[in-house]
Amino acid sequence: MPESTTIAPALEQRLAQLIARSGPIPVGRYMAEANAHYYATRDPLGAAGDFITAPEISQMFGELAGLWLADLWVRAGRPANAYYVELGPGRGTLARDALKAMKAAGLSPPVELVETSPVLRAAQAALLPAARWHDDCAGLPENGTLLIVANEFFDALPVRQLVATGEGWRERMVDYRDGRFVPAAGPPAPAAAIPDTLRDSPPGAIVETSPASAAIAGALAERIAAQGGAALIIDYGHQVSSPGETLQAVHAHGYADPWAEPGERDLTAHVDFEALARAARHGEVKSFGPVGQGDWLRALGIELRAASLAAAAPERAQEIAQARLRLTAPDQMGSLFKVLALVARSWPDPEGFR
Ligand code: SAH
């Protein structure tokens, strides 16, 4: 097909052509291509976008994340050469609020952001003009302590789906039939791809794994072990590896069909915290949690912070109380969202995980 005669086809067309040429593609490839397009072409956050995140709900979230890091850094003996690192920083709101809280504790680290979206890099630059950007974790500085935050980053990374057949496992693929993307059974998958606690799942069971997430958690752990520091990972997902399909699409603050309009909806999957902690174990770090976001925020003093913000701005007292509930209540973000910490072995234990 002559390439010069067409402008770049929409992602849907490109994926459909790819499938027509070489057959169904793995679910992970579909998710990776869809999200790369999605984030590269828009700022999805906020009322006018597709979803809202904790740092966009209230400054208290970023402030407490910053205090958590600053407290660890102080108790570790205030090592020189500390960097603030954030993965998938969105609009930069969390980083701005965390850095403000860290500064009050005597810590003003250089800012290193891992972000692939040009649109979101521009938004981050408006709040964090002195930051440096990286396409992936490999480019992060190798000569100092890393104070790392990742909020709703891992849920956007591609998952692999595997289906139990009763006689082993098959890769789940995405086919394109009659103008629609549809899941389809693929080639056999090795049992080693399934967490050992799930290998006996009944026929029809779907298991999701995220090799990309495990690779990043492993790399962060190795860096922290070698350079000192900690990583704070916050996301929604499950504490132990569990079967079930969690891949979902979100559009305009509601659920949408993940197999329609790839690249125009946010695709996410539940984060498997057990798998993240397992991947990090190779890196000689201590891991803490996951605990519920509500418990963690309460342990760090969100009630006090909310009270002092409300005292300083009584006209906003109700809004502040609502934001606190949204972040902490078990039927809102308090339980489904979880917090996992990875900390260098030579560092003290972190707050909020008792
Ligand atoms: N942490 C922010 C934004 C969450 S949205 C908040 O809490 O508001 C997911 C973020 O991860 C976006 O910034 C998106 O551009 C980024 N992202 C998604 N996939 C990525 C990848 N593979 N590499 C780097 N950044 C990615």
Side-chain angles (χ1 to χ4, degrees):
M1 185 189 325
E3 300 230 336
S4 54
T5 55
T6 51
I7 50 169
L11 180 65
E12 173 154 359
Q13 260 170 286
R14 193 155 65 69
L15 291 177
Q17 282 166 5
L18 173 69
I19 291 167
R21 261 201 318 271
S22 39
I25 56 173
V27 167
R29 169 91 191 262
Y30 174 87
M31 186 176 175
E33 298 261 1
N35 273 353
H37 180 85
Y38 176 79
Y39 283 106
T41 50
R42 77 208 69 205
D43 171 357
L45 292 151
D50 287 333
F51 58 93
I52 189 154
T53 56
E56 303 295 335
I57 290 171
S58 167
Q59 70 190 78
M60 295 186 284
F61 187 81
E63 289 171 348
L64 291 171
L67 271 183
W68 183 89
L69 286 172
D71 165 69
L72 257 183
W73 173 80
V74 167
R75 289 190 289 121
R78 300 177 181 265
N81 268 343
Y83 294 92
Y84 176 83
V85 174
E86 195 176 327
L87 313 184
R91 290 179 170 172
T93 309
L94 196 170
R96 179 199 60 195
D97 296 336
L99 288 160
K100 197 171 52 172
M102 291 164 103
K103 193 169 179 193
L107 173 59
S108 296
V111 177
E112 308 280 335
L113 304 177
V114 176
E115 174 61 71
T116 42
S117 160
V119 175
L120 290 171
R121 278 190 184 198
Q124 292 152 21
L127 291 188
L128 309 157
R132 291 199 305 178
W133 283 268
H134 307 274
D135 289 330
D136 55 47
C137 296
L140 292 172
E142 290 177 352
N143 61 345
T145 296
L146 302 179
L147 304 173
I148 305 168
V149 179
N151 184 60
E152 290 210 50
F153 168 75
F154 284 98
D155 68 352
L157 298 183
V159 290
R160 178 178 184 186
Q161 289 186 337
L162 303 129
V163 189
T165 66
E167 294 154 34
W169 292 80
R170 283 188 179 271
E171 202 79 47
R172 201 167 189 227
M173 314 290 282
V174 182
D175 200 357
Y176 192 74
R177 291 181 208 143
D178 305 325
R180 297 175 58 83
F181 292 99
V182 284
I194 318 292
D196 42 10
T197 50
L198 302 180
R199 280 188 200 145
D200 292 334
S201 302
I206 295 177
V207 166
E208 289 172 345
T209 66
S210 180
S213 299
I216 292 173
L220 295 180
E222 275 171 30
R223 290 299 205 94
I224 290 168
Q227 299 175 218
L232 183 64
I233 297 170
I234 307 168
D235 231 306
Y236 70 105
H238 28 260
Q239 193 153 359
V240 295
S241 300
S242 319
E245 178 177 22
T246 71
L247 177 69
Q248 67 178 27
V250 165
H251 180 62
H253 301 267
Y255 292 109
D257 178 2
W259 308 116
E261 294 186 41
E264 303 304 321
R265 297 149 182 215
D266 181 44
L267 292 185
T268 62
H270 282 210
V271 170
D272 178 349
F273 282 95
E274 185 183 5
L276 286 189
R278 192 167 46 237
R281 223 174 283 147
H282 301 295
E284 291 295 306
V285 292
K286 307 186 269 192
S287 85
F288 298 86
V291 296
Q293 174 174 296
D295 286 341
W296 184 76
L297 289 171
R298 275 188 294 271
L300 294 185
I302 192 170
E303 261 110 16
L304 272 178
R305 184 64 187 134
S308 93
L309 284 174
E315 73 285 359
R316 291 183 50 222
Q318 204 187 349
E319 168 203 332
I320 294 163
Q322 271 167 1
R324 176 174 59 76
L325 275 179
R326 200 155 164 203
L327 294 174
T328 59
D331 61 346
Q332 302 199 40
M333 295 176 80
S335 300
L336 180 58
F337 280 77
K338 296 179 179 63
V339 186
L340 173 75
L342 307 175
V343 181
R345 277 207 196 284
S346 58
W347 275 41
D349 290 356
E351 284 299 333
F353 293 89
R354 267 188 279 271

